[in-house]
Amino acid sequence: EAIPMIMNHAFWERHEIGADLKVDDPSGSPAKYNPYLAREGAAGEGGGGRRGGGTIDSFIPAGGIVLACNYAFGRSVVGKEARKAGIDQAAARTTVLAQVIPGVIIQPSGFFAVIEAQRSGCHFFPAAG
């Protein structure tokens, strides 16, 4: 369920991610934008991001590293785009890769990426539930 966090606002709106994952905007309606990504003109610290204004797109330039599992990416967002657009997996992958937040690193396997990151001194925290 965390993979949509790395996707841009257009992907969230097109695929109704807020409704799908039960993520609401401040008014209580399903979010039509990625709340983990800053929004132009949004009120509050960090351009309207969650958790005190922190957003993925402000975390990365500050030296943060965001890794995403390629396996989950394929099953989650690539599959969703392929079904919605009626295109094959390769074309869908090309489409959704252009909608990943710049600076996110997609790893072959999330589990192996976490193990290697921990060996380098990084810490893991689950992004969902």
Side-chain angles (χ1 to χ4, degrees):
E1 292 181 13
I3 289 295
M5 291 174 65
I6 67 164
M7 303 306 293
N8 69 13
H9 298 307
F11 185 88
W12 271 65
E13 184 173 3
R14 173 174 164 73
H15 293 284
E16 301 177 352
I17 301 299
D20 187 35
L21 297 180
K22 297 176 179 49
V23 175
D24 292 339
D25 66 19
S27 74
S29 299
K32 295 185 189 287
Y33 58 88
N34 181 345
Y36 302 97
L37 181 61
R39 291 184 302 135
E40 188 73 33
E45 179 186 345
R50 295 172 64 106
R51 296 182 176 50
T55 59
I56 293 172
D57 54 327
S58 65
F59 176 71
I60 293 171
I65 298 171
V66 178
L67 304 176
C69 175
N70 183 58
Y71 179 75
F73 182 79
R75 291 187 52 89
S76 178
V77 299
V78 174
K80 191 177 288 288
E81 180 65 25
R83 287 186 299 278
K84 180 136 186 147
I87 56 178
D88 66 27
Q89 294 285 318
R93 182 173 180 80
T94 299
T95 299
V96 296
L97 278 173
Q99 297 178 69
V100 172
I101 297 169
V104 171
I105 303 166
I106 298 179
Q107 299 292 298
S109 165
F111 292 112
F112 293 121
V114 168
I115 290 167
E116 289 304 309
Q118 287 176 324
R119 286 184 184 166
S120 298
C122 296
H123 301 279
F124 171 77
F125 68 93

PDB file of all heavy atoms in Angstrom, residues 82-101:
ATOM      1  N   ALA A  82      -1.999  -0.294 -16.598  1.00  0.00           N
ATOM      2  CA  ALA A  82      -2.252  -1.178 -17.741  1.00  0.00           C
ATOM      3  C   ALA A  82      -3.739  -1.478 -17.872  1.00  0.00           C
ATOM      4  O   ALA A  82      -4.293  -1.424 -18.979  1.00  0.00           O
ATOM      5  CB  ALA A  82      -1.447  -2.475 -17.593  1.00  0.00           C
ATOM      6  N   ARG A  83      -4.377  -1.770 -16.748  1.00  0.00           N
ATOM      7  CA  ARG A  83      -5.813  -2.077 -16.788  1.00  0.00           C
ATOM      8  C   ARG A  83      -6.637  -0.860 -17.186  1.00  0.00           C
ATOM      9  O   ARG A  83      -7.534  -0.942 -18.016  1.00  0.00           O
ATOM     10  CB  ARG A  83      -6.277  -2.608 -15.427  1.00  0.00           C
ATOM     11  CG  ARG A  83      -5.810  -4.020 -15.133  1.00  0.00           C
ATOM     12  CD  ARG A  83      -6.393  -4.574 -13.849  1.00  0.00           C
ATOM     13  NE  ARG A  83      -6.024  -3.816 -12.657  1.00  0.00           N
ATOM     14  CZ  ARG A  83      -4.888  -3.944 -11.985  1.00  0.00           C
ATOM     15  NH1 ARG A  83      -3.985  -4.812 -12.393  1.00  0.00           N
ATOM     16  NH2 ARG A  83      -4.654  -3.220 -10.903  1.00  0.00           N
ATOM     17  N   LYS A  84      -6.319   0.298 -16.598  1.00  0.00           N
ATOM     18  CA  LYS A  84      -7.103   1.506 -16.865  1.00  0.00           C
ATOM     19  C   LYS A  84      -6.954   1.970 -18.317  1.00  0.00           C
ATOM     20  O   LYS A  84      -7.925   2.367 -18.949  1.00  0.00           O
ATOM     21  CB  LYS A  84      -6.697   2.624 -15.917  1.00  0.00           C
ATOM     22  CG  LYS A  84      -7.473   3.913 -16.122  1.00  0.00           C
ATOM     23  CD  LYS A  84      -7.886   4.475 -14.824  1.00  0.00           C
ATOM     24  CE  LYS A  84      -8.777   5.664 -15.024  1.00  0.00           C
ATOM     25  NZ  LYS A  84      -9.756   5.774 -13.974  1.00  0.00           N
ATOM     26  N   ALA A  85      -5.720   1.945 -18.826  1.00  0.00           N
ATOM     27  CA  ALA A  85      -5.456   2.448 -20.176  1.00  0.00           C
ATOM     28  C   ALA A  85      -5.658   1.386 -21.257  1.00  0.00           C
ATOM     29  O   ALA A  85      -5.656   1.711 -22.439  1.00  0.00           O
ATOM     30  CB  ALA A  85      -4.029   3.001 -20.253  1.00  0.00           C
ATOM     31  N   GLY A  86      -5.781   0.113 -20.854  1.00  0.00           N
ATOM     32  CA  GLY A  86      -5.928  -0.954 -21.832  1.00  0.00           C
ATOM     33  C   GLY A  86      -4.668  -1.172 -22.652  1.00  0.00           C
ATOM     34  O   GLY A  86      -4.736  -1.431 -23.854  1.00  0.00           O
ATOM     35  N   ILE A  87      -3.514  -1.046 -21.983  1.00  0.00           N
ATOM     36  CA  ILE A  87      -2.225  -1.204 -22.675  1.00  0.00           C
ATOM     37  C   ILE A  87      -1.438  -2.329 -22.021  1.00  0.00           C
ATOM     38  O   ILE A  87      -1.793  -2.806 -20.942  1.00  0.00           O
ATOM     39  CB  ILE A  87      -1.413   0.113 -22.655  1.00  0.00           C
ATOM     40  CG1 ILE A  87      -1.192   0.611 -21.222  1.00  0.00           C
ATOM     41  CG2 ILE A  87      -2.130   1.185 -23.484  1.00  0.00           C
ATOM     42  CD1 ILE A  87      -0.368   1.881 -21.092  1.00  0.00           C
ATOM     43  N   ASP A  88      -0.350  -2.753 -22.675  1.00  0.00           N
ATOM     44  CA  ASP A  88       0.448  -3.832 -22.105  1.00  0.00           C
ATOM     45  C   ASP A  88       1.318  -3.319 -20.956  1.00  0.00           C
ATOM     46  O   ASP A  88       1.451  -2.110 -20.747  1.00  0.00           O
ATOM     47  CB  ASP A  88       1.279  -4.542 -23.180  1.00  0.00           C
ATOM     48  CG  ASP A  88       2.358  -3.675 -23.809  1.00  0.00           C
ATOM     49  OD1 ASP A  88       2.861  -2.732 -23.160  1.00  0.00           O
ATOM     50  OD2 ASP A  88       2.719  -3.949 -24.970  1.00  0.00           O
ATOM     51  N   GLN A  89       1.898  -4.252 -20.225  1.00  0.00           N
ATOM     52  CA  GLN A  89       2.691  -3.917 -19.036  1.00  0.00           C
ATOM     53  C   GLN A  89       3.894  -3.031 -19.374  1.00  0.00           C
ATOM     54  O   GLN A  89       4.212  -2.120 -18.615  1.00  0.00           O
ATOM     55  CB  GLN A  89       3.175  -5.204 -18.342  1.00  0.00           C
ATOM     56  CG  GLN A  89       2.064  -6.043 -17.754  1.00  0.00           C
ATOM     57  CD  GLN A  89       1.517  -5.452 -16.475  1.00  0.00           C
ATOM     58  OE1 GLN A  89       2.254  -4.979 -15.618  1.00  0.00           O
ATOM     59  NE2 GLN A  89       0.205  -5.460 -16.333  1.00  0.00           N
ATOM     60  N   ALA A  90       4.550  -3.276 -20.494  1.00  0.00           N
ATOM     61  CA  ALA A  90       5.729  -2.479 -20.862  1.00  0.00           C
ATOM     62  C   ALA A  90       5.347  -1.022 -21.105  1.00  0.00           C
ATOM     63  O   ALA A  90       6.025  -0.103 -20.631  1.00  0.00           O
ATOM     64  CB  ALA A  90       6.412  -3.071 -22.095  1.00  0.00           C
ATOM     65  N   ALA A  91       4.278  -0.802 -21.843  1.00  0.00           N
ATOM     66  CA  ALA A  91       3.832   0.571 -22.103  1.00  0.00           C
ATOM     67  C   ALA A  91       3.362   1.244 -20.824  1.00  0.00           C
ATOM     68  O   ALA A  91       3.637   2.423 -20.583  1.00  0.00           O
ATOM     69  CB  ALA A  91       2.716   0.572 -23.142  1.00  0.00           C
ATOM     70  N   ALA A  92       2.672   0.487 -19.980  1.00  0.00           N
ATOM     71  CA  ALA A  92       2.202   1.042 -18.704  1.00  0.00           C
ATOM     72  C   ALA A  92       3.389   1.410 -17.818  1.00  0.00           C
ATOM     73  O   ALA A  92       3.376   2.457 -17.160  1.00  0.00           O
ATOM     74  CB  ALA A  92       1.293   0.039 -18.000  1.00  0.00           C
ATOM     75  N   ARG A  93       4.420   0.575 -17.803  1.00  0.00           N
ATOM     76  CA  ARG A  93       5.602   0.863 -16.984  1.00  0.00           C
ATOM     77  C   ARG A  93       6.264   2.161 -17.437  1.00  0.00           C
ATOM     78  O   ARG A  93       6.640   2.993 -16.611  1.00  0.00           O
ATOM     79  CB  ARG A  93       6.589  -0.299 -17.055  1.00  0.00           C
ATOM     80  CG  ARG A  93       7.812  -0.078 -16.179  1.00  0.00           C
ATOM     81  CD  ARG A  93       8.696  -1.311 -16.132  1.00  0.00           C
ATOM     82  NE  ARG A  93       9.838  -1.063 -15.290  1.00  0.00           N
ATOM     83  CZ  ARG A  93       9.850  -1.116 -13.975  1.00  0.00           C
ATOM     84  NH1 ARG A  93       8.746  -1.430 -13.326  1.00  0.00           N
ATOM     85  NH2 ARG A  93      10.941  -0.861 -13.288  1.00  0.00           N
ATOM     86  N   THR A  94       6.391   2.350 -18.741  1.00  0.00           N
ATOM     87  CA  THR A  94       6.969   3.585 -19.268  1.00  0.00           C
ATOM     88  C   THR A  94       6.146   4.788 -18.820  1.00  0.00           C
ATOM     89  O   THR A  94       6.693   5.803 -18.383  1.00  0.00           O
ATOM     90  CB  THR A  94       7.046   3.527 -20.807  1.00  0.00           C
ATOM     91  OG1 THR A  94       7.891   2.440 -21.175  1.00  0.00           O
ATOM     92  CG2 THR A  94       7.589   4.814 -21.382  1.00  0.00           C
ATOM     93  N   THR A  95       4.833   4.668 -18.896  1.00  0.00           N
ATOM     94  CA  THR A  95       3.936   5.756 -18.503  1.00  0.00           C
ATOM     95  C   THR A  95       4.079   6.099 -17.029  1.00  0.00           C
ATOM     96  O   THR A  95       4.216   7.266 -16.670  1.00  0.00           O
ATOM     97  CB  THR A  95       2.468   5.373 -18.813  1.00  0.00           C
ATOM     98  OG1 THR A  95       2.341   5.165 -20.215  1.00  0.00           O
ATOM     99  CG2 THR A  95       1.506   6.456 -18.365  1.00  0.00           C
ATOM    100  N   VAL A  96       4.052   5.090 -16.166  1.00  0.00           N
ATOM    101  CA  VAL A  96       4.073   5.391 -14.728  1.00  0.00           C
ATOM    102  C   VAL A  96       5.463   5.748 -14.210  1.00  0.00           C
ATOM    103  O   VAL A  96       5.578   6.491 -13.230  1.00  0.00           O
ATOM    104  CB  VAL A  96       3.425   4.276 -13.879  1.00  0.00           C
ATOM    105  CG1 VAL A  96       1.958   4.134 -14.206  1.00  0.00           C
ATOM    106  CG2 VAL A  96       4.146   2.962 -14.007  1.00  0.00           C
ATOM    107  N   LEU A  97       6.519   5.276 -14.870  1.00  0.00           N
ATOM    108  CA  LEU A  97       7.862   5.687 -14.435  1.00  0.00           C
ATOM    109  C   LEU A  97       8.029   7.199 -14.548  1.00  0.00           C
ATOM    110  O   LEU A  97       8.725   7.810 -13.740  1.00  0.00           O
ATOM    111  CB  LEU A  97       8.945   4.971 -15.248  1.00  0.00           C
ATOM    112  CG  LEU A  97       9.289   3.566 -14.791  1.00  0.00           C
ATOM    113  CD1 LEU A  97      10.241   2.898 -15.789  1.00  0.00           C
ATOM    114  CD2 LEU A  97       9.886   3.561 -13.386  1.00  0.00           C
ATOM    115  N   ALA A  98       7.369   7.803 -15.531  1.00  0.00           N
ATOM    116  CA  ALA A  98       7.434   9.255 -15.704  1.00  0.00           C
ATOM    117  C   ALA A  98       6.658   9.988 -14.607  1.00  0.00           C
ATOM    118  O   ALA A  98       6.785  11.200 -14.480  1.00  0.00           O
ATOM    119  CB  ALA A  98       6.893   9.640 -17.072  1.00  0.00           C
ATOM    120  N   GLN A  99       5.873   9.259 -13.809  1.00  0.00           N
ATOM    121  CA  GLN A  99       5.053   9.862 -12.770  1.00  0.00           C
ATOM    122  C   GLN A  99       5.588   9.599 -11.354  1.00  0.00           C
ATOM    123  O   GLN A  99       4.950   9.953 -10.367  1.00  0.00           O
ATOM    124  CB  GLN A  99       3.615   9.350 -12.891  1.00  0.00           C
ATOM    125  CG  GLN A  99       2.982   9.770 -14.211  1.00  0.00           C
ATOM    126  CD  GLN A  99       1.594   9.228 -14.346  1.00  0.00           C
ATOM    127  OE1 GLN A  99       0.685   9.639 -13.643  1.00  0.00           O
ATOM    128  NE2 GLN A  99       1.428   8.274 -15.259  1.00  0.00           N
ATOM    129  N   VAL A 100       6.773   8.994 -11.277  1.00  0.00           N
ATOM    130  CA  VAL A 100       7.425   8.769  -9.981  1.00  0.00           C
ATOM    131  C   VAL A 100       8.056  10.082  -9.529  1.00  0.00           C
ATOM    132  O   VAL A 100       8.617  10.824 -10.336  1.00  0.00           O
ATOM    133  CB  VAL A 100       8.489   7.655 -10.093  1.00  0.00           C
ATOM    134  CG1 VAL A 100       9.318   7.546  -8.811  1.00  0.00           C
ATOM    135  CG2 VAL A 100       7.836   6.324 -10.428  1.00  0.00           C
ATOM    136  N   ILE A 101       7.965  10.385  -8.242  1.00  0.00           N
ATOM    137  CA  ILE A 101       8.585  11.593  -7.693  1.00  0.00           C
ATOM    138  C   ILE A 101      10.081  11.558  -8.007  1.00  0.00           C
ATOM    139  O   ILE A 101      10.748  10.551  -7.733  1.00  0.00           O
ATOM    140  CB  ILE A 101       8.363  11.681  -6.168  1.00  0.00           C
ATOM    141  CG1 ILE A 101       6.869  11.807  -5.858  1.00  0.00           C
ATOM    142  CG2 ILE A 101       9.139  12.850  -5.565  1.00  0.00           C
ATOM    143  CD1 ILE A 101       6.541  11.626  -4.382  1.00  0.00           C
TER     144      ILE A 101
END
